Amino acid sequence: MLSTGDVQGCLRQLETLLRAVKYPGYVDYNGLSKGDPSAFLPIVSFTLTSFSPPFAKQLMEAGLELTGKTDLRFTDTLYKVLRDIFHYKPILTKQQFLQWGFSQRKISVICDIINLVLQKHNQLKKVQNLLIRDMSELLALCHPIKTLTLFPVFPVNVSARLSAAAAGKLSGQRPANLPSSD
């Protein structure tokens, strides 16, 4: 539970999370500390729509559009995302979130949202990386000729000379069929 009166501590935690998501916008710390909804909504909007393209794509595929909406419609969709995607119930109602006040609780909810999106982003990136690796392995199996181009094929006489040179280096002797470099 929140300790009462620690708005500054919550703001420091939020500041750390904003650095983690590389939030590019202006942060109105005065508005945040007073509970101004217009200070919170841009942060939430960036976190859900811009920070993680894979997550934004997942929201779009689920029919949860967050851009181009009024504050009320945005908040309705935000609460649907929190409920349906994250199984998270905020400590504030939609109405409380959109009115002045409740600054510490709003900051706490915003921190939770950023943490949830960071976790989901890392999860989606991990799956995406596994899919890319699996696809490249599958392509290598389906198109072995293309993978062979990674390893140059020398004409037989050059290949034989290289093998002989390697054998000579291993035995400490110079193969007879290679010209001297002196």
Side-chain angles (χ1 to χ4, degrees), residues 1-163:
M1 197 64 181
L2 296 170
S3 61
T4 24
D6 192 20
V7 174
Q8 294 304 314
C10 290
L11 283 172
R12 282 191 295 277
Q13 181 185 9
L14 177 61
E15 188 175 23
T16 301
L17 289 169
L18 290 174
R19 278 195 302 272
V21 296
K22 297 176 178 72
Y23 181 68
Y26 169 74
V27 180
D28 180 10
Y29 289 103
N30 190 33
L32 291 172
S33 64
K34 291 179 181 176
D36 180 5
S38 65
F40 290 91
L41 292 173
I43 295 170
V44 176
S45 178
F46 170 80
T47 303
L48 294 174
T49 61
S50 302
F51 164 67
S52 174
F55 179 65
K57 181 180 176 186
Q58 182 183 27
L59 289 178
M60 293 292 291
E61 289 170 352
L64 298 167
E65 176 64 44
L66 288 161
T67 56
K69 295 193 173 211
T70 64
D71 291 351
L72 179 61
R73 296 281 182 218
F74 177 84
T75 306
D76 285 340
T77 307
L78 166 65
Y79 274 62
K80 283 181 191 174
V81 168
L82 294 175
R83 180 190 68 217
D84 297 344
I85 304 289
F86 294 117
H87 309 290
Y88 174 84
K89 185 174 181 349
I91 55 178
L92 294 171
T93 65
K94 292 179 235 178
Q95 292 76 22
Q96 289 172 326
F97 191 81
L98 286 174
Q99 64 187 358
W100 280 72
F102 305 102
S103 60
Q104 186 175 354
R105 290 180 181 215
K106 285 181 186 176
I107 296 168
S108 177
V109 168
I110 299 301
C111 289
D112 289 345
I113 291 170
I114 294 172
N115 278 319
L116 289 167
V117 171
L118 279 169
Q119 289 173 2
K120 182 64 88 171
H121 173 74
N122 291 334
Q123 189 180 51
L124 291 170
K125 290 299 277 187
K126 188 181 294 185
V127 168
Q128 189 177 32
N129 289 340
L130 287 173
L131 288 174
I132 289 170
R133 190 190 77 213
D134 290 348
M135 287 300 291
S136 63
E137 290 174 0
L138 182 61
L139 283 172
L141 291 174
C142 293
H143 301 289
I145 303 299
K146 288 185 180 178
T147 58
L148 287 177
T149 59
L150 297 175
F151 306 102
V153 179
F154 295 106
V156 175
N157 60 352
V158 174
S159 182
R161 286 184 179 181
L162 288 174
S163 297

